[in-house]
Amino acid sequence: MMKHPYKITQHQLNLSDQQVSYQLYKKAGEGAPRRLVMLHGAGVAGEYTWSAIAMMLTQWDEILIPDQRGTGNTRYPDGKEYSFTVNELVNDISALVDHLGWWQFDLAGYSMGGMVSLLYKQRYHDRVKKQYLLEAAVLDRPSWESTVNLRHQFSTAAEQLKGNQAETGIKGFLDTISPNRKVAPQAELLTIQRLAERPLGFANALNCVTDAINSIDREALVAAQGDVSSFIGGHSVDLMHQYQRDLAERLPNWHYFLVAGTDHSLPFQKPRQISRIMDQELIRFLA
């Protein structure tokens, strides 16, 4: 097996109300580095989500993988779980990249992290260059009403996670977000175990996305994006594919990729395919 070229280090940034844990991947080299920030989805930490993809990427010199609120090793100073807003997530990423002096970078976001990355790009347009989305939240359906209704289905799972029905809530979440998934018992068990590591944090993340839809203007959000490569699992619902095809046909900066043989779990199931396309898409973007 070929050794990956990155040195990986673990760090923590202490903000006023949050201890943000993050990993840095760095190659040895000189000159201005090409940098990439990768934001995970609700419930599963950054390392679990992105490490397999990151280690196969060839076009970046530095990669930043943080844990967002409610997930992984990022915690409130008192160690308790509290609700949070999407604006707080955007503020955390802003504080982190400012702390590191990353004034320009590429940005990848999965699920909830996709929504955060879209909002970061909208707020700090000139700092983000190439963009990657993996089944970004709020880009679920062509109809905004259907998107809103889908998010409210997650509220039931969140309530179960806050009570004594964490496993029931997790299974309900998986059935809602990946209704056509091919269930492999061992993979399903691992997914449930990871999502159950911080059930209250996971519930707060689900509620964060549901609350965010009440303030998001999706058309304005999409219009504010740059060059986007958007990945959708082949087994994901047809309406999601329809919306992404429509965006790709309507917008010259939107590039849609169907990832065969997977569903919403695409970064975990197809890291090699996704990393290869990410490399190719950056080369196209820079040409």
Side-chain angles (χ1 to χ4, degrees):
M1 180 181 293
M2 185 175 68
K3 184 179 179 182
H4 70 82
Y6 295 105
K7 177 184 178 182
I8 304 172
T9 54
Q10 186 75 40
H11 307 268
Q12 180 175 293
L13 172 64
N14 294 323
L15 303 177
S16 60
D17 72 334
Q18 202 71 196
Q19 297 169 341
V20 180
S21 177
Y22 63 97
Q23 286 187 322
L24 281 175
Y25 287 55
K26 286 192 175 186
K27 286 181 183 175
E30 298 178 354
R34 188 87 200 178
R35 290 167 165 161
L36 174 66
V37 178
M38 309 184 87
L39 304 180
H40 64 77
V44 179
E47 181 180 5
Y48 288 153
T49 303
W50 291 116
S51 61
I53 292 174
M55 288 190 289
M56 288 187 280
L57 294 172
T58 65
Q59 298 301 306
W60 287 270
D61 305 294
E62 298 181 6
I63 300 173
L64 167 62
I65 304 179
D67 289 338
Q68 300 191 83
R69 295 187 183 219
T71 313
N73 293 316
T74 289
R75 297 186 181 275
Y76 287 84
D78 64 4
K80 297 179 180 179
E81 302 283 13
Y82 298 96
S83 61
F84 50 86
T85 68
V86 69
N87 282 330
E88 288 176 310
L89 297 180
V90 175
N91 291 342
D92 291 344
I93 298 306
S94 177
L96 179 54
V97 293
D98 284 359
H99 167 73
L100 294 172
W102 284 30
W103 309 119
Q104 290 192 331
F105 49 86
D106 303 319
L107 183 56
Y110 167 56
S111 196
M112 179 189 77
M115 180 184 70
V116 175
S117 70
L118 290 164
L119 290 164
Y120 184 92
K121 173 68 175 182
Q122 186 178 41
R123 190 192 297 182
Y124 303 102
H125 191 271
D126 292 339
R127 295 185 68 169
V128 177
K129 298 306 178 184
K130 182 73 188 84
Q131 296 169 259
Y132 300 92
L133 297 174
L134 280 66
E135 297 210 356
V138 309
L139 302 183
D140 307 285
R141 305 288 188 273
S143 162
W144 182 243
E145 182 180 0
S146 296
T147 298
V148 171
N149 289 338
L150 179 69
R151 295 311 316 180
H152 285 303
Q153 291 180 45
F154 294 129
S155 297
T156 300
E159 289 307 308
Q160 291 169 329
L161 285 160
K162 288 184 174 182
N164 59 358
Q165 299 175 283
E167 186 169 336
T168 300
I170 291 168
K171 288 180 177 178
F173 164 78
L174 294 173
D175 289 341
T176 301
I177 205 163
S178 298
N180 303 323
R181 72 188 187 282
K182 307 297 183 185
V183 177
Q186 286 187 321
E188 185 92 344
L189 178 61
L190 179 60
T191 299
I192 291 171
Q193 288 173 341
R194 286 177 172 175
L195 290 170
E197 287 185 1
R198 289 177 63 180
L200 293 180
F202 181 29
N204 289 332
L206 292 178
N207 286 333
C208 166
V209 180
T210 300
D211 292 343
I213 64 176
N214 296 317
S215 60
I216 285 177
D217 179 338
R218 185 167 71 173
E219 287 302 308
L221 186 64
V222 169
Q225 304 311 304
D227 192 280
V228 173
S229 302
S230 183
F231 300 80
I232 307 295
H235 296 316
S236 292
V237 296
D238 290 340
L239 286 172
M240 189 181 298
H241 289 280
Q242 179 185 326
Y243 182 53
Q244 294 293 325
R245 283 195 299 268
D246 290 346
L247 287 173
E249 290 171 4
R250 179 162 58 91
L251 302 172
N253 62 314
W254 205 275
H255 309 275
Y256 154 65
F257 294 89
L258 184 154
V259 184
T262 187
D263 48 43
H264 191 70
S265 299
L266 64 170
F268 311 101
Q269 295 180 348
K270 299 293 180 178
R272 187 175 301 278
Q273 183 177 348
I274 291 169
S275 62
R276 183 177 68 250
I277 296 172
M278 287 181 67
D279 281 341
Q280 292 170 350
E281 282 292 277
L282 182 64
I283 293 169
R284 174 193 58 76
F285 174 69
L286 295 174

